[in-house]
């Protein structure tokens, strides 16, 4: 399986996971979006030198992995590109802050090392929380929740169409690569002489497909807003889910402040 086909398959698998009839998937999308935003905000609010408090916030992704029956191994494999990039953010802290904190096995531990690990953990938690939201909530439900938060419709529409357009772009690119491989059997990759023509053809075909999709949307009554009458209001279980996580985040944050004092 080629890389493009593999990426397209992974997107379809994430969509299938988000549309399962599982307990976590049935939680109202607005509640899950608010909990995710709150979790990221609380995690980022921890001081960089409060590593134990930051690590305690790992209870949320672990619980969501269990409640949503989301495979941890597959999730880490899908995030293998994003996580190293996020972890790279704090790599220079040991050079900027060399104040000694203690020794471990004969190695001097500095505050910069602690800050580096703290930033890496924060970034990893934020990426995992975002992925878990996508893996348990369809993109249509996420955009619906964003509209309930009064996020401008033009921004929500851009997010929705961009996510959906990735499938169109990858599908067109995969077809072109298959056609090229049939015309150049045994050749590894694409010869640099045809990079420009292939990129131009991909752009033109993608624009044609996008125009067809937009015309179909207009024929179905699209006027700048997505309407979905099937959405239900929040129920008791949704409010309980929100309350439990809010209380837990508050307790973890307060305990960290108490330990500082």
């Amino acid at each position: 399986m080629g890389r493009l086909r593999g990426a397209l398959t992974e997107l379809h698998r994430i969509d299938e996971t988000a549309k399962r009839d599982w307990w976590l998937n049935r939680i109202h999308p607005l509640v899950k979006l608010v909990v995710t935003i709150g979790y990221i905000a609380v995690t980022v609010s921890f001081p960089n030198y409060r590593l134990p408090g930051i690590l305690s916030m790992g209870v949320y992704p672990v619980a969501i992995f269990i409640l949503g029956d989301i495979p941890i191994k597959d999730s880490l494999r899908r995030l293998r590109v994003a996580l190293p990039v996020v972890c790279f953010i704090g790599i220079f802290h040991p050079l900027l802050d060399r104040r000694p904190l203690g020794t471990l096995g004969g190695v001097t531990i500095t505050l910069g090392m602690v800050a580096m690990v703290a930033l890496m953990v924060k970034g990893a938690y934020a990426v995992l929380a975002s992925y878990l939201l996508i893996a348990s909530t369809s993109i249509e439900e996420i955009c619906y929740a964003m509209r309930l938060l009064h996020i401008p419709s033009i921004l929500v529409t851009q997010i929705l169409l961009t996510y959906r357009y990735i499938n169109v772009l990858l599908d067109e690119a995969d077809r072109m690569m298959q056609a090229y491989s049939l015309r150049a059997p045994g050749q590894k990759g694409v010869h640099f002489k045809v990079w420009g023509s292939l990129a131009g053809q991909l752009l033109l075909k993608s624009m044609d497909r996008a125009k067809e999709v937009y015309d179909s949307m207009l024929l179905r009554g699209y006027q700048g807003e997505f309407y979905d009458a099937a959405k239900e209001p929040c129920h008791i279980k949704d409010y309980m889910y929100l309350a439990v996580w809010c209380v837990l985040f508050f307790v973890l944050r307060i305990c960290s402040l108490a330990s500082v004092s």
Side-chain angles (χ1 to χ4, degrees), residues 2 32 38 51 57 63 66 79 95 97 105 116 144 149 169 179 192 213 249:
K32 287 187 284 187
L51 185 57
M57 296 298 293
I66 297 174
L79 298 175
L95 302 177
D97 192 348
M116 177 189 68
Y144 170 73
L149 293 177
L169 183 64
F192 72 92
V213 172
F249 295 160

Side-chain angles (χ1 to χ4, degrees), residues 139-257:
I139 187 63
E140 291 83 7
E141 292 178 332
I142 294 176
C143 291
Y144 170 73
M146 294 173 67
R147 288 298 296 136
L148 292 179
L149 293 177
H150 301 288
I151 297 177
S153 61
I154 186 172
L155 179 60
V156 175
T157 302
Q158 288 292 329
I159 294 174
L160 176 60
L161 294 183
T162 300
Y163 185 86
R164 287 306 178 197
Y165 187 73
I166 292 175
N167 293 295
V168 177
L169 183 64
L170 289 177
D171 190 40
E172 288 293 342
D174 183 61
R175 291 180 182 179
M176 292 178 60
M177 290 302 299
Q178 288 182 359
Y180 179 83
S181 62
L182 292 175
R183 289 171 174 80
Q187 180 176 323
K188 295 182 179 180
V190 180
H191 198 277
F192 72 92
K193 291 184 179 180
V194 297
W195 286 359
S197 60
L198 285 180
Q201 292 178 23
L202 177 61
L203 175 61
L204 293 176
K205 289 184 178 181
S206 301
M207 291 175 62
D208 291 339
R209 288 286 300 274
K211 183 65 167 55
E212 293 175 0
V213 172
Y214 183 67
D215 291 340
S216 301
M217 292 167 57
L218 293 179
L219 292 175
R220 288 168 173 80
Y222 175 72
Q223 297 179 350
E225 185 71 82
F226 290 93
Y227 299 97
D228 194 343
K231 298 300 181 183
E232 297 182 358
C234 294
H235 300 290
I236 298 298
K237 62 180 179 63
D238 302 315
Y239 291 114
M240 292 180 61
Y241 181 87
L242 176 62
V244 167
W245 284 119
C246 288
V247 171
L248 182 59
F249 295 160
F250 178 78
V251 170
L252 292 176
R253 192 67 182 90
I254 291 299
C255 291
S256 176
L257 292 175

Side-chain angles (χ1 to χ4, degrees), residues 9-24:
T9 302
E10 287 296 333
L11 284 177
H12 290 322
R13 288 178 179 174
I14 293 176
D15 288 338
E16 292 174 357
T17 304
K19 294 179 180 179
R20 293 180 307 170
D21 187 19
W22 198 259
W23 181 85
L24 182 62

Side-chain angles (χ1 to χ4, degrees), residues 64-98:
I64 298 301
F65 275 121
I66 297 174
L67 295 176
D69 192 25
I70 302 174
I72 298 179
K73 183 178 179 180
D74 292 343
S75 302
L76 295 178
R77 179 173 54 81
R78 291 166 183 167
L79 298 175
R80 62 185 179 275
V81 176
L83 288 177
V85 173
V86 171
C87 292
F88 185 76
I89 296 175
I91 199 170
F92 295 107
H93 267 271
L95 302 177
L96 300 176
D97 192 348
R98 300 183 179 181

